[in-house]
Amino acid sequence: MAALRTLLATRSRIRLCRLSHPASAGFGSGSAAHGGSGEVDVKRLDGGDAGVVEMAMCREKARNALGHVFVRQMRQLVSELHRDSAVRVVVFRSLLPGVFCAGADLKERARMSNSEAEHFVLGLRSLMNEIAALPMPTIAAVDGFALGGGLELALACDLRTAAHTAQMGLIETTRGLLPGAGGSQRLPRAVGFAVAKELIFTGRRVGGEEALQLGLVNRAVEQNQAGDAAYREALCLAREILPQAPIAVRMAKEAMNRGMEVRNMVYSLVIPTRDRQEGMAAFIEKRKPRYTGE
């Protein structure tokens, strides 16, 4: 049961931050996550959406570019989510119209030495691995540009929604680089090796509809007037996950991520849970199950 106890470790506090950008409507005023200067913040939804946490990116002056402060703040918040058993789904979204994440902060990168740049990329790769390893399902809501490291961030999530007007691409080869934060491994898993090689070799960008056809995203929708259609669709997807047994969902993710060697282990951990007993009882009694995560 050690693995189960690790997955369901003691709930940590996730700080809330007041978001002043107009696109942050619906966010409550909480205590500042990073001294009032948060480039990345979290928001717990409540009511019928309790259990959903939004990771909101708002580095307005740099189009959510992956700079030192941005990466450090996201790493801290992701680390806290790892230990929070109350979180059932995490939605990664942008509060900036027309952009999800523009990728690397090239202005910062230009000031780095070769060794500093290499060290930073290693840290960025580590962050993407930490996002991929979150125990609960994660959804990237791509309402605008997701280029280079921005697409690598979306690929680190389990699921992706996109507006038709979104633009996605691993464009590093157009700048004399290659994807360094996991994209060269995760893109082939999503779209297949042949398509991934074409996209990376050419640096080509794809819109939301083509991304859906390629298997790069799970759902693609027409953009709305507010510019947050992919976010709205991500919430719909999160709401489909919320009613399911949270331990079973986490264990299913673990089994899929780690493969056959852990399938039997995680299945055996689900057997003694109250949620499994509730699921069986609800089926027999012909009612909706009431899962508690126990």
Side-chain angles (χ1 to χ4, degrees):
M1 297 296 292
L4 181 58
R5 288 194 295 270
T6 299
L7 288 172
L8 303 178
T10 305
R11 181 185 310 176
S12 64
R13 293 181 180 178
I14 298 179
R15 303 176 181 90
L16 301 178
C17 179
R18 177 176 291 127
L19 304 176
S20 58
H21 194 279
S24 65
F27 276 64
S29 61
S31 58
H34 302 284
S37 60
E39 295 182 358
V40 186
D41 298 290
V42 293
K43 167 70 177 182
R44 286 182 183 273
L45 302 191
D46 52 20
D49 292 329
V52 177
V53 166
E54 295 178 356
M55 182 80 68
M57 301 178 287
C58 190
R59 190 184 179 200
E60 188 168 7
K61 294 181 180 179
R63 296 163 60 86
N64 292 335
L66 298 164
H68 279 101
V69 173
F70 185 99
V71 170
R72 183 176 69 249
Q73 292 179 359
M74 181 170 284
R75 183 188 300 278
Q76 176 186 337
L77 296 173
V78 168
S79 177
E80 293 175 357
L81 289 175
H82 270 279
R83 303 187 298 271
D84 196 328
S85 61
V87 181
R88 298 195 181 189
V89 186
V90 181
V91 175
F92 285 75
R93 66 171 301 200
S94 170
L95 299 182
L96 307 183
V99 60
F100 176 74
C101 175
D105 187 328
L106 296 183
K107 291 183 179 179
E108 280 192 9
R109 190 75 61 86
R111 296 192 294 268
M112 297 179 190
S113 66
N114 288 343
S115 61
E116 288 171 336
E118 183 177 2
H119 179 75
F120 180 77
V121 171
L122 287 174
L124 191 58
R125 188 180 306 154
S126 174
L127 170 62
M128 300 308 173
N129 289 339
E130 290 176 26
I131 292 171
L134 280 167
M136 70 290 292
T138 53
I139 307 171
V142 183
D143 269 307
F145 288 95
L147 303 176
L151 180 54
E152 290 183 298
L153 172 57
L155 285 166
C157 295
D158 299 307
L159 308 170
R160 286 161 294 282
T161 61
H164 288 174
T165 54
Q167 289 288 303
M168 290 160 274
L170 293 180
I171 61 172
E172 285 85 351
T173 56
T174 68
R175 295 170 180 169
L177 298 167
L178 73 157
S184 56
Q185 289 75 48
R186 294 190 176 100
L187 184 62
R189 295 172 193 168
V191 303
F193 274 93
V195 173
K197 287 178 179 179
E198 177 186 338
L199 293 177
I200 291 174
F201 293 167
T202 63
R204 185 164 67 87
R205 305 178 185 187
V206 299
E209 290 180 278
E210 184 178 0
L212 179 63
Q213 294 170 358
L214 294 175
L216 179 55
V217 301
N218 298 82
R219 300 182 182 184
V221 292
E222 290 277 1
Q223 186 56 280
N224 58 27
Q225 190 171 4
D228 65 352
Y231 162 66
R232 297 294 172 186
E233 188 65 22
L235 276 185
C236 291
L237 186 50
R239 287 166 182 153
E240 293 179 32
I241 298 171
L242 274 180
Q244 316 316 324
I247 296 176
V249 169
R250 288 185 176 216
M251 290 299 179
K253 176 173 177 175
E254 181 79 356
M256 286 186 282
N257 284 350
R258 293 182 59 186
M260 294 290 290
E261 74 274 11
V262 299
R263 182 192 61 184
N264 292 340
M265 181 192 74
V266 296
Y267 194 87
S268 67
L269 293 175
V270 171
I271 293 298
T273 63
R274 293 183 180 178
D275 277 352
R276 187 193 69 86
Q277 297 168 1
E278 167 64 12
M280 294 299 99
F283 175 77
I284 293 171
E285 297 167 14
K286 298 181 180 181
R287 59 174 174 78
K288 288 185 177 181
R290 295 180 291 272
Y291 295 123
T292 62
E294 298 177 275

